[in-house]
Amino acid sequence: MPYTTYLVEKGASHSFVAEAKPPTVTMPRIKALMTGSLPGFVDVVRNLNSPALLEDNVIGQAKAAGKRIFFYGDETWIKLFPKHFIEYDGTTSFFVSDYTEVDNNVTRHLDKVLKRGDWDMLILHYLGLDHIGHVSGPHSPLIGRKLSEMDSVLMRIHTALLSKERETLLPNLLVLCGDHGMSETGSHGASSTEEVNTPLILISSAFERKPGDMRHPKRVQQTDLAATLAIGLGLPIPKDSVGSLIFPVVEGKPMREQLRFLHLNTVQLSKLLQENVPSYEKGSHPASAQHPAGAAQKG
């Protein structure tokens, strides 16, 4: 993926290794990315028949704020968010042996939708890489070709966003991520390092990068994305989110703004703690006077 590698190493981007918690299957991982919470193993059973997501989430908050959202790809998203997308085209993930049509169905919308200015958020969920893994494993000769195809898709999207910016003078954000990894046998669902490590790259001309500024990907939690996206979009953080703002993303902002973002995250996490830990009372527990974490530790 030469274009992606260039953006990671020299471009206006921040890259991370995002740890996904098991179960590392698609539906619970989409939930984790959009709610910031930790779905349970019961979601594995529901993975092929996903009911609508009722928990507070970034997509729901964006729709409530009037954002126009388009979606193309794995139909799990349409089942989770049935009334959220203005325009969508779902692709079934059931035929695992198909790794071309599933992706062509997503890419065929690209040129048209990138030229249009009538959307605020565009979500694309490609399936081919996952399917190759299931059928012939991570060392299949098909993997390299598919990664090359994904690299050219990312380049098309990025160059289209940059040319749009020349007209609007407003920075866009491009997020590249995986919902889960892949074991040495090409499966996923469990908790091996290969299955829980996922890439997370945030690309935006808002991120300044000086020549020679070499960055090594930091480790974050997959659940951190929801809080980071919400803050970046000016939306409330989903109330059940356990994630932290991915701080490097806002380091270029004035100190006052950085503090405001951290405060928003702290207030949301504090409310979550109060609602879910009966013994947690801010400042009232005797241990909290000597050890600030004392009250939380008791829970």
Side-chain angles (χ1 to χ4, degrees), residues 26-72:
T26 297
M27 190 268 274
R29 303 284 36 94
I30 295 171
K31 276 191 175 183
L33 285 164
M34 292 297 108
T35 65
S37 63
L38 295 166
F41 277 85
V42 73
D43 285 310
V44 177
V45 182
R46 296 190 192 134
N47 188 49
L48 288 172
N49 186 24
S50 321
L53 180 58
L54 301 175
E55 276 176 84
D56 191 13
N57 62 81
V58 174
I59 302 284
Q61 291 286 5
K63 183 176 184 283
K67 307 260 184 223
R68 297 157 300 178
I69 313 167
F70 285 21
F71 171 79
Y72 307 111

Side-chain angles (χ1 to χ4, degrees), residues 17 67 83 108 126 159 189 212 215 222 235 252:
V17 175
K67 307 260 184 223
K83 295 191 176 114
R108 68 194 172 95
Y126 282 89
T159 49
R215 297 171 183 169
Q222 195 179 53
L235 303 169

Side-chain angles (χ1 to χ4, degrees), residues 161-224:
L161 292 178
L162 287 176
S163 69
K164 248 196 182 96
E165 281 179 23
R166 285 194 278 276
E167 299 163 29
T168 62
L169 302 177
L170 291 168
N172 293 291
L173 173 66
L174 174 54
V175 179
L176 175 68
C177 62
D179 50 340
H180 52 71
M182 187 188 293
S183 73
E184 279 300 296
T185 57
S187 65
H188 57 87
S191 56
S192 71
T193 304
E194 293 80 14
E195 287 164 281
V196 299
N197 280 351
T198 71
L200 174 61
I201 307 168
L202 285 85
I203 303 155
S204 174
S205 50
F207 306 144
E208 289 175 16
R209 182 90 165 256
K210 294 181 178 74
D213 175 7
M214 291 299 288
R215 297 171 183 169
H216 299 286
K218 295 184 172 71
R219 293 192 71 84
V220 296
Q221 292 299 309
Q222 195 179 53
T223 44
D224 294 341

Side-chain angles (χ1 to χ4, degrees), residues 48 71 73-80 90-94 127:
L48 288 172
F71 171 79
D74 188 327
E75 63 185 12
T76 307
W77 288 79
I78 299 163
K79 292 174 183 173
L80 286 170
T91 303
T92 179
S93 58
F94 193 71
L127 286 156

Side-chain angles (χ1 to χ4, degrees), residues 9 25 36 38 48 77 106 125 137 154-155 202 207 212 227-228 233 252 262 271 280 290:
E9 292 180 352
V25 290
L38 295 166
L48 288 172
W77 288 79
V106 182
H125 187 138
L154 184 109
M155 183 166 82
L202 285 85
F207 306 144
T228 307
L233 292 164
L262 289 171
K271 273 188 193 155
Y280 176 79
Q290 299 145 21

